[in-house]
Amino acid sequence: MEKCPCGSGSALEACCAPIIGGAPAPTAEALMRSRYSAYVLNQVDHIERTHAADIRDTFSRAEAEEMARAVEWSGLEIRAVSGGQATDDAGTVEFISRYKMNGQIQIHHEKSAFRREDGRWVYVDGEMNPKGPPR
């Protein structure tokens, strides 16, 4: 039983594999986790098809393939989720992914926006290094 790369603690086959294979994600967070796992597993088709229609033209398959090949992924941490549940039409997921590239440990911090298109969750855009409200 192979653990899912997304860090859920579940088996890959019971977690992200069905979504990567084309099953609809039940929540925005599940889609976000599956997109991370797709990078780990070099499943770029999933990354491409889960972009919102209005941004799909800006997707660079070559860049995504290079990222998937060149990076040694080391973990995903979900920081916050807003909306994005089974009954919602939009949601956000703030996450941190860790990886090693060219021998250097890197951190990717993003607050991603998701919405439903034709009943399926898709990635809309992301805010890099999001800041919380002032204290």
Side-chain angles (χ1 to χ4, degrees):
M1 177 178 80
E2 182 181 354
K3 291 275 187 193
C4 193
C6 80
S8 67
S10 298
L12 174 62
E13 291 304 315
C15 191
C16 290
I19 300 169
I20 292 170
T27 64
E29 180 182 349
L31 181 63
M32 204 263 97
R33 287 180 176 278
S34 74
R35 287 171 57 86
Y36 172 84
S37 293
Y39 272 111
V40 173
L41 301 169
N42 199 7
Q43 297 290 320
V44 177
D45 287 345
H46 178 63
I47 303 298
E48 186 170 17
R49 81 170 162 263
T50 57
H51 272 75
D54 56 336
I55 65 161
R56 208 166 285 143
D57 290 345
T58 64
F59 176 75
S60 170
R61 185 176 182 91
E63 286 179 21
E65 288 172 344
E66 178 59 27
M67 180 81 160
R69 275 194 306 271
V71 167
E72 180 183 329
W73 298 95
S74 58
L76 174 68
E77 174 190 344
I78 302 299
R79 292 303 243 353
V81 176
S82 177
Q85 300 304 308
T87 58
D88 295 322
D89 289 325
T92 60
V93 179
E94 182 180 347
F95 69 93
I96 293 176
S97 61
R98 292 175 175 78
Y99 59 95
K100 189 184 284 187
M101 186 173 192
N102 299 324
Q104 300 290 317
I105 296 173
Q106 305 286 324
I107 294 175
H108 177 93
H109 184 192
E110 182 176 329
K111 184 176 182 182
S112 297
F114 297 89
R115 71 172 176 243
R116 286 191 190 270
E117 283 183 3
D118 299 323
R120 297 176 75 94
W121 286 107
V122 292
Y123 171 82
V124 177
D125 62 15
E127 175 189 354
M128 301 298 296
N129 302 313
K131 306 287 186 230
R135 293 182 194 206

